[in-house]
Amino acid sequence: MGVLERIKEIEEEMARTQKNKATEYHLGLLKSRLARLRSQLLEGPKGQGKSEEKGFEVVKHGDARVALVGFPSVGKSTLLSKLTKTKSETAAYEFTTLTTIPGVLEYRDANIQLLDLPGIIEGASQGKGRGRQVIAVARSADLILLMLDATKAEEQKVLLERELETVGIRLNKRPPNVYFAKKNTGGILFTSTVPLTWMNEKMAYMILHEYRIHNAEILIREDITVDEFIDVVEGNRQYIRCLYVYNKIDSTTIEHVDKLARMEHSVVVSCELGLNLDYLVEKIWEYLQLIRVYTKKQGNPPDLKEPLILREGATVEDACKAIHRSLADPTQFRYALVWGRSAKHDPQRVGLTHLLQDEDVLQVVKK
């Protein structure tokens, strides 16, 4: 029996099984088997080269990467053409885009790489319609724009989320607060600092036994589900921020558009008419969590044309490494002067651990 058949068999058994106290361990076991088989499916048959995927991945360029994921003919290519200088082929028929088309969105002095991926179909996570290669590119993105047709929004959203969830992409979630480490000896040490609702020591033992792990240390610091524990054991999950972009709002009622716009992580647009695209770009910047830091040489005005583009939570040390890694060396670094939101007074003399904020000005003084 092939991997796909075994996956289908387990899914059918899970659908038949009633959820109650008596079956929770059996369901946990089925979930762990399903996760293992899906991981095998993603890796592909042993010995198979990556020739099939050659030329599909695009070299990472710019300060951040955004992937456009969606079904065929939802407006991904039109959006890329509107936001960047790249012209992606658009037509009234499905599967116009057959490979990854990269473009660069220039916003607030940052270069954001936009990737127009081919439309995926139901069953993409199992390899249908080159779906596995599309999703492999999406895993490397900093932000996913899930493009949805406003007239078929609900069904498309559910199907796309399921496809991405199947291949280990977790949208708008954070990794569970769990410490997990495999050991060579000593058996399984299970510790929890909070009361657990869905998990317990017996369930953890059963799941680890399924993965043939007999020596490990587990420390759970929050109330997690069985699925989240399996994610921790698998260790290959990608936690990516996601924006749901509802296109073709000119084809539906204003009440429906209002309902979609009020949903969490949602933006409504019309790529054809160019409606609300400015707001979408603002949300992309917000979800990428980028900050600009301007550099300044001693005795000169700050360089306001080419800032350093860093992530939120970046420190002076990160900024130094972005300029040149030798600057962050304690034998070279003396102190830094910061002007802006993160400074208590202008300028503030700070060390390597000082947290920077958007539009700060930084001057590094060497020994």
Side-chain angles (χ1 to χ4, degrees), residues 88-145:
S88 185
E89 189 184 345
T90 57
Y93 54 86
E94 296 188 342
F95 298 105
T96 317
T97 307
L98 297 173
T99 186
T100 306
I101 311 291
V104 177
L105 167 64
E106 293 173 358
Y107 184 68
R108 295 188 183 179
D109 300 315
N111 292 324
I112 300 165
Q113 187 181 42
L114 274 184
L115 298 181
D116 176 19
L117 302 175
I120 62 175
I121 57 174
E122 196 175 347
S125 56
Q126 297 167 7
K128 289 183 184 175
R130 296 189 78 190
R132 216 177 289 165
Q133 290 96 303
V134 174
I135 291 167
V137 178
R139 282 176 72 94
S140 67
D142 301 301
L143 172 68
I144 290 176
L145 291 190

Side-chain angles (χ1 to χ4, degrees), residues 215-232:
N215 300 291
E217 188 181 344
I218 308 153
L219 173 60
I220 300 178
R221 300 189 188 95
E222 65 177 353
D223 191 11
I224 60 166
T225 63
V226 174
D227 294 307
E228 286 174 327
F229 182 71
I230 291 169
D231 287 349
V232 171

